[in-house]
Amino acid sequence: METKGRSRHFIYTDWILTETQFDPDQLHSKETVFTIGNGYLGTRGSFEEGYPSALPTTFIHGVYDDVPVVYTELVNCPDWLPLVVMVNGERFRLDQGEILQYERRLNLRQGLLCRSVRWRSPSGKTIDFYFERFVSFADQHVLAQRCQLTPVDFDGVIEVQGSINGYTENQGFNHWVGLDQGKTDEGIWLQRRTRNSQIELGIAAKMTISGAEASLQVSTAPGYPTLSMTFLAKAQQTVTVEKFVTIFTSREVETPVAAAKEKLAYLPDYAKLLKASEQAWQEVWQQCDIVIEGDGTAAFAVRYNLFELLIASPQHDDKVSIPAKTLSGFGYRGHVFWDTEIFMLPFFLFTQPTIARNLLSYRWHTLPGAKRKASHYGYKGAMFSWESAATGDEVTPRWSLPTDFYGEDVRIWCRDREIHINADIPYAVWNYWQATGDDEWMEKYGAEIILDAAIFWSSRVEFNSESQKYEIRGVIGTDEYHEFVHNNTFTNRMVQWHLEKAMAVYDWLAHKYPQRTRELEDKLQLSSELQNHWQDIIAKILLFYDSSTELIEQFEGFFQLEDINLADYQDRDRSMQAILGIEKTNKYQVLKQPDVLMLLYLMRGYLDFPYSQKALQTNWDYYAPRTDITYGSSLGPAVHAILASHLNISTEAYKLFMQAAMVDLEDNRGNTADGIHGATAGGVWQAVIFGFGGIQFKENRPVANPHLPSNWTRLKFKLHWQGLWYDFDLCGEVGIGHRAWGDGETRGQGDKETRGITNAQSAIPNAQSPMPNPQSATPNSNIQGVIFDLDGVLTDTAELHYQAWQKLADEEGIPFNRVANEALRGVSRRASLMLIIGNRRYSEQQIQEMMERKNRYYVELLKNMTCEDLLPGAIALLDELRQAGIKIAIGSASKNARTVIERLGIADKVDAIADGYSVKQPKPAPDLFLYAAKLLGTEPAQSVVVEDAAAGIEAALAAGMWAVGIGPVERVGAAHVVLPSLAGVKWADIRSQLHNSKK
């Protein structure tokens, strides 16, 4: 389905954004929209050939520098894009000549940006251009471009100049000092260093050409090294020029230039680089993708927002975080806000927990800066900065310039007063711990964040002796229209919640890690007196709440402010603050973004005070009409959409959701040119999962209570929780069940994997093929498909299972060894645990916990699996089958099969995967192999199964398929052919033995 975006010349399909017309008035906003990246760097969608007033920009995580006196900002790095094309001496550029055809496409699935242009030069020569670029998702230091040129109606001389532009600026300020540059056998290189932070950068480039003979020249003009290729082009013949770039900084290596030159010298060709990048994207999308059916615009918009989060997320660096405008624009100067922890982090927490850990580790690394800020204001502990950069010190500008040339400068009070971030970050840390069970990280990093930030509150609160209450005065709440208030309920309740969790973390740490506890007690000056103070604050903090109506007052005196009817301003095109002015806005009951409602949203997951359905309805009715949801903050619509879903206000929920989802695609706030709205992108994911999907966590697992929009026929996604993956497949108004999977064990019927609500059917469809009659089912010689079992055939994960069980047994003090492990082969997880614990008595809750703990250990071990773990002969046989035109499937009972396949690097070598999700009946029932054959489109009699277990051989024979057994005859002797392993095995030999075997 295709849908057109209003006035943006956009077409949306499932994975591809297509721009059908170039509009110079939208140049800068489109540069933002077409940003590409890989979690290390982001490059805006500027044209290769340049354009007047364009803002070509590449940001690299952590490369900050100071603008003297004014602010700290992410630095615009040297531009790797320049590709100037001269056609018979005329320079190709879109502001000259004539554009006859134009199309630009962003492929989200591949991370690939393409542009096609048919251009007529001022002298009348017509030429087709096709540009393509990507930044490798497989290797963060590699970037590549391709330019294909096809003269339409002339022969002539064409010159292509590929350059590195070292003179990039941050809107008028140049942060770079030139150090050196040069040329090598491979191409050109440039060395730069930031003026104040002294970060060194090395970048290298080379070019290749095909389709024509070309002479190569190298120019080393200062700060702008260039490779030039000149060739004679002929009409209707295509010439391809490819440019390869490598880039490093001193944040990763000691000698960035040497690293860039070395990597450039050993790069494979363009096609291999692109394929590696596409495979890396495929792996990520398999975990992160959200499938929406029935609404093409929403389906694309959700994927687009997830793409923007993924390309800005640090995969290999825990000393950086995602800026509010990601790596896509100059807005907010690359500073990090609460946006990351509260809005963006949940997406990573439940789909990419390693990245979530990196983002939170950044806050640990910046604790020294937070402590310096607290000390500056006269407080104890850690006071996280409202805007943070490299060190964690406050980088919020103190003043903002007025829009009126003769107006007064505007004081920015957030740096001093918007302190709820000091509880927001611990909130995110706690949620990470709950979702992952990552005790090791919590011990080393998370606990210190929570405790040090809690110490700040003990010095920030004030005790009112008259009311016998603790107060927090002189703050800004999440609603930033009121800049100096007392006892903001959001802030006070979050502080109370934070201190409750700090007490729990302190107790947990003391019980489990006494040495670390002593270290933190010495470092942070923790004491029993401090804990008593925290407990007193928890009991006595001031909260404005009417228990009879459950209406919450946003802050002390809010209800005494002058009321306002936003309907009176229905035709406005700017914020209420812009209309009323800062001072007047402070006197009205008008909100920039959710405040009380934001608190209810954050507390809903814990069903903690003040969350209840009555409180939600009461406060929605009061605060939603008073919130400037359209022109206030981009953070608001997604949160309102979720709460509207919970209140079953479906039409309003969908309207708010689409307002958030399209914020950059439609530029509906007019500021997309400044960069992607990162918090909104994260809010969109939350709106889908927690709003429409209705995900809640009950009995330590996610369950769905869906509220799908009326036009959505299906919503499908995955969530990662406590080491398990949960699949959700929700259709229409009926919530279809979901299943958890986490390891590769075969499970018996007694080890039920279904979690939570199952209103209709299994999340993964079961094979519906009828059971064949083994007596009448006979294979034939026209073999079209081969189905491989995974464990014991292509790889061996038995050792990983043993290590996981051994770790669990050691922790529980239960004797266990490799001999005892032999009894667990082919046994379900629960049955295995029962064998291990023997006659020892455990509660059902303890048994469930131990099974999940063992599974987490196993999943962690899987992360170390690589292609080196393939058994001998596996790759050779897969490749030979592919060349012979034989279809290949994996038929594994493991619910972790897809993860193993990805780790082994063979996903591109198989056509279908049937795993533990696919069928209800395990081997020796034939269901799994019948389902695999169905996926391949082959008849059972035309299929071969390669198995190492007796149950698998029995299943293959019952399905009426050929069976090849791997292992001893005692185990797989019923197979048509028995082989000791796949080492040295040829497909022709298997075919011959099958032909000669007895039917």
Side-chain angles (χ1 to χ4, degrees), residues 69 108 172 189 191 194 224 344 408 416 494 544 560 574 750 782 918:
V69 181
L108 306 180
W189 56 271
Q191 184 182 23
T194 54
Y224 204 93
M344 302 184 217
E408 296 293 327
D416 310 282
M494 288 296 288
F544 291 97
Q560 279 70 56
R574 51 194 174 136
N782 183 24
S918 303

Side-chain angles (χ1 to χ4, degrees), residues 462-767:
E462 304 172 40
F463 186 70
N464 186 321
S465 57
E466 291 185 13
S467 64
Q468 290 292 297
K469 291 287 187 179
Y470 285 96
E471 300 182 87
I472 305 178
R473 303 176 65 80
V475 301
I476 298 175
T478 67
D479 159 34
E480 296 170 340
Y481 276 172
H482 301 88
E483 296 187 320
F484 188 82
V485 305
H486 304 315
N487 296 306
N488 168 250
T489 302
F490 179 95
T491 303
N492 287 20
R493 175 62 182 111
M494 288 296 288
V495 169
Q496 184 186 53
W497 183 95
H498 178 188
L499 295 181
E500 289 168 352
K501 297 309 183 242
M503 297 282 288
V505 167
Y506 199 162
D507 290 344
W508 168 80
L509 202 66
H511 174 73
K512 193 164 185 178
Y513 300 101
Q515 182 176 348
R516 178 60 173 160
T517 304
R518 289 190 291 271
E519 291 174 0
L520 290 180
E521 286 174 341
D522 292 340
K523 182 177 182 179
L524 306 181
Q525 298 182 350
L526 298 169
S527 63
S528 58
E529 291 79 12
L530 180 61
Q531 291 186 73
N532 291 336
H533 189 205
W534 287 348
Q535 193 64 59
D536 202 39
I537 296 170
I538 292 169
K540 298 176 181 177
I541 197 163
L542 183 59
L543 298 169
F544 291 97
Y545 172 76
D546 185 332
S547 59
S548 62
T549 65
E550 299 196 35
L551 181 63
I552 301 164
E553 189 169 17
Q554 183 172 304
F555 55 78
E556 184 178 343
F558 180 83
F559 290 154
Q560 279 70 56
L561 298 180
E562 188 175 346
D563 206 353
I564 192 170
N565 183 5
L566 292 184
D568 295 340
Y569 299 85
Q570 187 173 1
D571 296 329
R572 62 194 171 95
D573 59 0
R574 51 194 174 136
S575 72
M576 290 304 299
Q577 190 179 69
I579 292 171
L580 300 174
I582 294 175
E583 292 302 321
K584 197 171 181 180
T585 304
N586 271 296
K587 299 175 182 178
Y588 278 94
Q589 290 187 39
V590 59
L591 286 66
K592 178 181 179 182
Q593 61 197 32
D595 198 306
V596 168
L597 292 177
M598 187 71 197
L599 175 63
L600 289 167
Y601 173 58
L602 295 187
M603 290 296 113
R604 98 264 174 234
Y606 302 97
L607 299 179
D608 278 356
F609 172 81
Y611 184 87
S612 72
Q613 196 68 13
K614 179 182 177 182
L616 177 56
Q617 185 69 65
T618 299
N619 288 280
W620 173 271
D621 291 344
Y622 192 87
Y623 287 104
R626 293 167 171 82
T627 305
D628 187 3
I629 204 68
T630 306
Y631 293 104
S633 169
S634 62
L635 277 58
V639 174
H640 271 208
I642 298 168
L643 299 180
S645 290
H646 291 182
L647 292 169
N648 293 315
I649 314 173
S650 301
T651 302
E652 181 71 6
Y654 182 75
K655 176 184 174 183
L656 291 161
F657 164 73
M658 290 303 291
Q659 183 180 334
M662 305 302 289
V663 65
D664 291 311
L665 290 170
E666 292 188 348
D667 195 14
N668 57 33
R669 289 179 179 267
N671 60 355
T672 297
D674 296 334
I676 290 294
H677 292 78
T680 302
V684 166
W685 183 87
Q686 294 187 58
V688 173
I689 304 303
F690 300 130
F692 302 139
I695 291 297
Q696 299 175 342
F697 295 90
K698 297 181 179 180
E699 299 178 5
N700 201 33
R701 58 180 178 260
V703 296
N705 180 25
H707 313 275
L708 300 194
S710 59
N711 56 331
W712 290 18
T713 58
R714 188 185 193 191
L715 172 61
K716 187 172 183 289
F717 56 89
K718 291 181 181 180
L719 295 179
H720 191 267
W721 174 264
Q722 293 282 351
L724 294 171
W725 281 102
Y726 290 79
D727 276 1
F728 290 84
D729 199 340
L730 313 174
C731 296
E733 296 181 356
V734 179
I736 293 181
H738 53 283
R739 293 188 171 219
W741 50 282
D743 62 28
E745 300 174 35
T746 302
R747 293 170 173 78
Q749 292 182 358
D751 187 13
K752 190 176 181 182
E753 277 295 299
T754 302
R755 296 290 192 266
I757 301 170
T758 305
N759 295 328
Q761 63 188 63
S762 167
I764 308 298
N766 294 304

